[in-house]
Amino acid sequence: HSTLPSPQRPSQPPTPSVFQYTVWNFLPKNLFEQFRRIANFYFLIIFLVQVIVDTPTSPVTSGLPLFFVITVTAIKQGYEDWLRHKADKEVNKYPVIVLENGRRAHKESEKIKVGDVVEVVEDETFPCDLILLQSSREDDTCFVTTASLDGESNHKTHYTVPDTEKDLESLSATIECEQPQPDLYKFVGRMHIYKPDQEAIVRPLGPENLLLKGATLKNTKKIYGVAVYTGMETKMALNYQGKSQKRSAVEKSINGFLLVYLCILVSKALVCTTLKYWWQSKEGQDEPWYNQKTQKERDTYRFLKMFTDFLSFMVLFNFIIPVSMYVTVEMQKFLGSFFITWDKDFFDPEIQEGALVNTSDLNEELGQVEYVFTDKTGTLTQNNMEFIECCIDGFQYKNRQDVGSELDGFCVTDGPVSKLQQKAGREKEELFLRALCLCHTVQVKEASTDDLTELDQVDQVDGLERPLTQPQEERGFIASSPDEVALVKGAMQFGFTFLGLESRTMKIKNRQNDIESYELLHVLNFDPVRRRMSVIVRTRTGETLLFCKGADSSIFPRVRPEEVDRIRTHVERNATEGYRTLCVAYKKLSADEFAVAESRLQEARLALQEREAKLTAVYNQVETGMSLIGATAVEDRLQEEAAETMEALQGAGMKVWVLTGDKMETAKSTCYACRLFQRGTELLELTVRTLEEGGRRREERLHELLLDYHKRAVQDAPPAKPGVTRSWATANQEYGFIIDGATLSLVLNPSPDANSSRYKSLFLQICQNCCAVLCCRMAPLQKAQIVRMVKNSKGSPITLSIGDGANDVSMILEAHVGIGIKGKEGRQAVRNSDYAIPKLKHLKKLLLAHGHLYYVRIAHLVQYFFYKNLCFILPQFLYQFFCGYSQQPLYDAAYLTMYNICFTSMPILAYSLLEQHICIEVLMDNATLYREVAKNAMLRWGPFVYWTILGVFQGLLFFFGVRYLFSNPALQDNGQVFGNWSYGTIVFTVLVFTVTLKLALDTRHWTWINHFVIWGSLAFYVFFSFFWGGIIWPFLRQQRLYFVFANMLSSVSAWLVIILLILLSLLPDILLLVFRKPKSHAQQKKPRSPAAGGPQSPQASARPLLMRTFSDESNTVI
């Protein structure tokens, strides 16, 4: 009977709550969220005023649009939340098998308690954090992929706890472990195993025994594990970082404009109220003989009456605030995001996926990016390693494909050909190749014949690689990093093949095709601080050897200095060529040394406190006094079109920063390959190496260097001319900046006596004047720190982060726009990003085409909304001067309600989804066009004032034009006179036609949808007016528009005025279009038109001539 009591902790409820709502709190919570928006809250107040105070318009006029807005938004948010609930149910309710009293019982995953023994089969994910007790594999291991946790898609090996019973029913044990903590790679615990008539055995538990929730079992039929952390205590739940609500700059502009219009509204109401009481103070105006006041009216308090009058005017003019704009913007963002998902250019045949949009609120930010922060491995490069060459004892060995040639005074052999004299001794060679075959954590996946086809697919997905040699055709390698597979394959090309690990015995086949076996005693794991890993093995002859491989900076200090010089030149040259380099060393351990090391390791592994630190100390003691054998160079290829993409981004005026954990030399050569640094770029280095030159204190030297670089890059640099692209600016010296993690922490968190804010501002100014910045050796948190620093700098530039692994998540969440790449390092980055794309090259189109267009569309939408509402309400304001300030509405209630919902909303929505003011090919070819909309250019105060003046001009024209018509009272054949409702209807008709045709003039890209909604909206208005006025409606107390519209159209004068006023209103726009010079990129588009004209030419020729002539304009109105 298995008794595994919990570590005295209750079980925790399942998964983190990522939902905003439940069934019960949806209404109150959603309404609260929505009324936090200024416009919604304002309309609610107006609605309440209309209900309470006797106002000129019915509460329906503002209640209905508000209800429409609130409902549409609530449905969208409810639907998104329902999707989250659905995903959560799949996680928490799926069935798992638990051993209870020796029997297998089915449970829902949310019911697992600490101490339950759970069975998991191949390709299932673990339902909670488990300690591995038993595996179906003979060597008591199991393979796991943790792609959904840390983004690594390769297989990791986990081990069962030694000395547990094969029969779990008879196992009796207790587990002690640390409190739950979020670090995925740390776990400390121990297990006491009780056997009858024996002392309890204590075994250490480490991360290699812990299977994390969210990871997936691979290559192992099934395992049994005991639950140690469940629910909110699992490492996956503790790592869940809530997404902050990112708001786009456009929303902030809207709020600024809203305040301006609120001020206009209040001042209009104040003017009218003041004038009303001034007018009434004259003799006989307040109480004419035909309209005596009642006693109740006479007794009301004067100031209360003034206040209610003020509120009435507010209600009358409140349509100047566009409440439906929010809904149109929401719809535009929600529907617009589908265009990114549907874009065929983003489809990647290799992974059979396209782009993904996680946040639709940021579409227009894509057109405003000023800084791009990119990861290197897997983003700029493919994370696909290939063994290039190695150097043994100072002699260079290239891959077999290369022909022998002299280089650097060293011999380059094509494989170990013994005829050439200049090469390392045979023993050294074999020792080096044995080290490559033994010092790793690669597993061999044997493929049975029926698995062969499956293996082909696995190769691409899981990063399994298959060797090229014939005899081992049916074998794939599984490793925790692509470097390791590359090295094992490299050794194969020189005749040493790794055959696999079986029950702690590693087997390799040497050049003579003999099989050598080694007993694996210990693996000293790789960690990012030590930056090396070692294995201790025992040969058949009983010798104990330690093999170690790692970065040059961590190996060189631990070997004899005289050996270093021979190999350093190779390592440095390889690094400048852009290869990833590793050094290999070994050491023979005497029996005593090994005994001491083993006892220390055992002791450190059992420690519950500070186990990591103790283990590191032991590792460091063992890995000293080694002999250097050689070094390897592995190439990580660039992503396709990486250089073109980076060049386009820089041409568009964006600053590109590369943030990587890699070595400086490797990263530097990648930057050259991506053309971020050009041949003539002068590099300013701020690294540990430059700080240690001159032998002074680091802080002093840092200060001195910062001042020097600041002088060169900032003070002495000629002022940049706006709009000059990089290629033309080559006359000036260009600077590139390089900094490493250690120096960055000095800059960001200097010692107390240093002048910290000064360092930071100097550093920022230098970086902002450089064409590209490279930050190497960065910890994930430092990446986020840099993004935060730039984001909060002067002018708050819009930042974008792009990465593919879990180490990029922090910077993706920090930037304004986060982009994940669906790469080899799993999906963590994609899950936390706002947008995900399959390849780096897709970033170019996402920003230069989609981003640019989204921004132009939404900017036009916002300006247009304010303009059409100003045109709408201004005549109403002017009308008050002619009706004794009596709050008489100019338009009928139906028109007031329907204007923003039906008559003018669809054309602008279609425009904001489909408009392409410049065609996509031109946008892609000319990156400089991106600069034209940079820094929120279309939503600045200049364009806003232009639209406002246009609105005022048209409003005045509508009102006084119709008033001029009415100076002749008899407008019909029979001499009948038109009334005030006819007046309002004529103004309203001119208004609806003018604002709709203004949008038609602004449209550069006509589709059948645009035609349908623009002409359809106008037809609907005419139809509605006939219908509304042509029937006696039983629910209306008074029917003001009964036959007004039909009657109005029977007058020829009304027709004339309507047509004339529409033409006069649009005249400024037409003149502006005719006399304005086309932009320069129009010429570049013209020659392309015949070629591009295939399917589009009929459509183009059918366009009105005016629109075709000016369709090359970059923006219609600025």
Side-chain angles (χ1 to χ4, degrees), residues 579-590:
Y579 300 140
R580 293 163 71 102
T581 55
L582 285 176
C583 296
V584 183
Y586 90 112
K587 170 186 181 181
K588 283 188 180 161
L589 295 173
S590 63

Side-chain angles (χ1 to χ4, degrees), residues 421-495:
Q421 290 312 301
Q422 275 206 300
K423 53 194 286 264
R426 176 151 195 151
E427 284 143 39
K428 270 277 170 68
E429 261 180 31
E430 297 200 344
L431 183 64
F432 176 79
L433 294 171
R434 280 193 189 99
L436 289 192
C437 280
L438 296 171
C439 185
H440 55 69
T441 53
V442 175
Q443 301 286 337
V444 173
K445 173 169 182 174
E446 293 289 349
S448 56
T449 43
D450 52 46
D451 280 357
L452 265 180
T453 49
E454 204 179 302
L455 184 64
D456 280 334
Q457 294 152 7
V458 175
D459 276 3
Q460 294 140 21
V461 182
D462 287 340
L464 299 189
E465 301 276 356
R466 293 167 71 191
L468 312 164
T469 42
Q470 277 319 104
Q472 280 80 28
E473 197 172 29
E474 301 167 18
R475 163 176 296 139
F477 291 124
I478 308 164
S480 58
S481 95
D483 302 45
E484 298 220 296
V485 174
L487 293 180
V488 171
K489 290 173 117 184
M492 272 175 70
Q493 287 165 347
F494 293 115

Side-chain angles (χ1 to χ4, degrees), residues 279 468 503 1024:
W279 187 72
L468 312 164
S503 56
F1024 175 82

